[in-house]
Amino acid sequence: MQVEKLPVKTFYTLKETPWYFGAYLNQARHNLFLVLNDLTIKLGTKPIPNDDQVISCKAVSILNELNPDPVLLEKAMEYYDKKLPFLFAMHYKYSNEEEKHMRKEAREKSKGIKSQKNLIGDPHKYYEIMKLLINYLHQARN
């Protein structure tokens, strides 16, 4: 009776085998392009012509405006919370248990009140995170 040999496990790293991760990075970049292009159209501006101009689209720039239209900003924040929920997790960290409890109570009180629904996320922090993600995806692809 012959014992079967198990296949040798192969480990891939971004540095040594970039071709392996290329498909995933291109798909991530394309998905981000689709989401931001959809939001840009919903905000009433022209679609993004190509994925190199994602950083300057209305969907991203509205987060960093000094005096954005409150209706458009609320629409954008709702869209980000729905399509990219990880943004909130990436930008917010409770400083202590008391603040965590206060935020939880504020969310429970504001349930059903549309205008206060998305006051938890900070648009400027979302902008910084989006800028970082877009730059990382662009650098990794190239």
Side-chain angles (χ1 to χ4, degrees), residues 75-94:
K75 190 177 199 179
M77 292 301 288
E78 286 178 4
Y79 192 87
Y80 281 123
D81 287 345
K82 181 179 179 186
K83 298 289 184 176
L84 304 172
F86 59 85
L87 288 176
F88 178 76
M90 290 176 76
H91 98 286
Y92 193 77
K93 193 173 170 183
Y94 297 110

Side-chain angles (χ1 to χ4, degrees), residues 10-14 16-25:
T10 306
F11 295 98
Y12 297 106
T13 63
L14 188 57
E16 294 174 9
T17 52
W19 52 267
Y20 180 79
F21 295 96
Y24 296 107
L25 294 170

Side-chain angles (χ1 to χ4, degrees), residues 32-48 57-63 72-81 83-84 87 130:
L32 186 62
F33 170 76
L34 292 176
V35 168
L36 293 177
N37 193 39
D38 185 41
L39 178 56
T40 298
I41 293 168
K42 288 183 179 188
L43 293 176
T45 57
K46 294 180 182 178
I48 307 167
C57 70
K58 180 69 173 177
V60 176
S61 65
I62 194 170
L63 299 172
L72 292 179
L73 183 60
E74 181 179 352
K75 190 177 199 179
M77 292 301 288
E78 286 178 4
Y79 192 87
Y80 281 123
D81 287 345
K83 298 289 184 176
L84 304 172
L87 288 176
M130 290 299 296

Side-chain angles (χ1 to χ4, degrees), residues 52-139:
D52 290 334
Q53 298 174 348
V54 169
I55 194 75
S56 61
C57 70
K58 180 69 173 177
V60 176
S61 65
I62 194 170
L63 299 172
N64 199 35
E65 291 177 1
L66 291 176
N67 295 317
D69 180 1
V71 174
L72 292 179
L73 183 60
E74 181 179 352
K75 190 177 199 179
M77 292 301 288
E78 286 178 4
Y79 192 87
Y80 281 123
D81 287 345
K82 181 179 179 186
K83 298 289 184 176
L84 304 172
F86 59 85
L87 288 176
F88 178 76
M90 290 176 76
H91 98 286
Y92 193 77
K93 193 173 170 183
Y94 297 110
S95 38
N96 58 34
E97 283 297 315
E98 184 180 332
E99 184 180 356
K100 184 177 180 180
H101 183 68
M102 286 175 20
R103 290 281 184 168
K104 185 177 179 182
E105 285 180 359
R107 266 185 265 137
E108 289 173 1
K109 286 180 184 177
S110 66
K111 280 185 181 176
I113 302 172
K114 189 171 181 165
S115 63
Q116 293 183 0
K117 186 176 180 184
N118 291 308
L119 293 178
I120 296 170
D122 181 11
H124 297 291
K125 290 182 182 177
Y126 276 24
Y127 174 77
E128 293 299 322
I129 293 168
M130 290 299 296
K131 196 167 77 170
L132 277 174
L133 289 175
I134 292 167
N135 287 334
Y136 283 148
L137 287 173
H138 183 69
Q139 288 173 0

